[in-house]
Amino acid sequence: MKYIPQAPPFEMIDALLDAAGGNATTTLTIRPDNILVDGNAFTAAGLIENMAQTAASGAGFEAHSRQQPPQVGFIGAVKGFYVSQLPLVQDRIITKTTVLNVIGQVQVVKGEVFLDGHCIAGAEYKIFLQD
């Protein structure tokens, strides 16, 4: 995925479906060899990383359109994380992130993960971007 700095085996998105204004929508099919799968389920840590990489892909798409490399970001805080269901191997999730606020090099982002049209996880993130 050219819009994020992560590389296999730590890519937690398959494709960027939409990006505008830093907001992004991605998809991921949970594969049995994913390093954040435990047993037959994608872990909570996987969902957190998936939302963070979705946010990064929106920023990376914008950087790519300006012919710049994607910025490296670090999760500084996760607030209000919830999970109602862990996706299973072979499930396809769709993740949406919305930039709520930008303060200097810090983005406040809301992430939501959907399975079969139902929101199964979400959180608010503070992401620190490196120059």
Side-chain angles (χ1 to χ4, degrees):
M1 164 63 67
K2 65 183 175 183
Y3 301 125
I4 59 173
Q6 291 83 359
F10 209 71
E11 285 183 356
M12 297 298 142
I13 58 177
D14 290 332
L16 177 63
L17 302 178
D18 187 40
N23 302 330
T25 303
T26 63
T27 185
L28 174 68
T29 299
I30 311 303
R31 293 180 179 75
D33 62 345
N34 185 300
I35 62 173
L36 295 178
V37 164
D38 185 19
N40 196 39
F42 197 46
T43 62
L47 291 168
I48 288 172
E49 186 61 26
N50 168 260
M51 286 185 270
Q53 287 188 22
T54 296
S57 71
F61 178 82
E62 289 186 357
H64 183 76
S65 69
R66 295 187 307 270
Q67 298 179 347
Q68 298 174 340
Q71 282 184 287
V72 175
F74 301 95
I75 300 171
V78 178
K79 177 180 167 186
F81 176 64
Y82 65 90
V83 178
S84 63
Q85 177 183 349
L86 292 174
L88 302 176
V89 169
Q90 300 307 324
D91 282 345
R92 180 179 180 261
I93 57 175
I94 294 175
T95 304
K96 297 180 181 185
T97 57
T98 305
V99 176
L100 301 175
N101 202 355
V102 178
I103 304 165
Q105 293 294 102
V106 179
Q107 288 185 342
V108 179
V109 177
K110 175 184 174 184
E112 296 176 298
V113 180
F114 297 86
L115 176 63
D116 296 328
H118 301 284
C119 185
I120 62 165
E124 187 175 294
Y125 290 77
K126 285 185 183 171
I127 300 173
F128 294 85
L129 300 172
Q130 184 178 7
D131 283 330

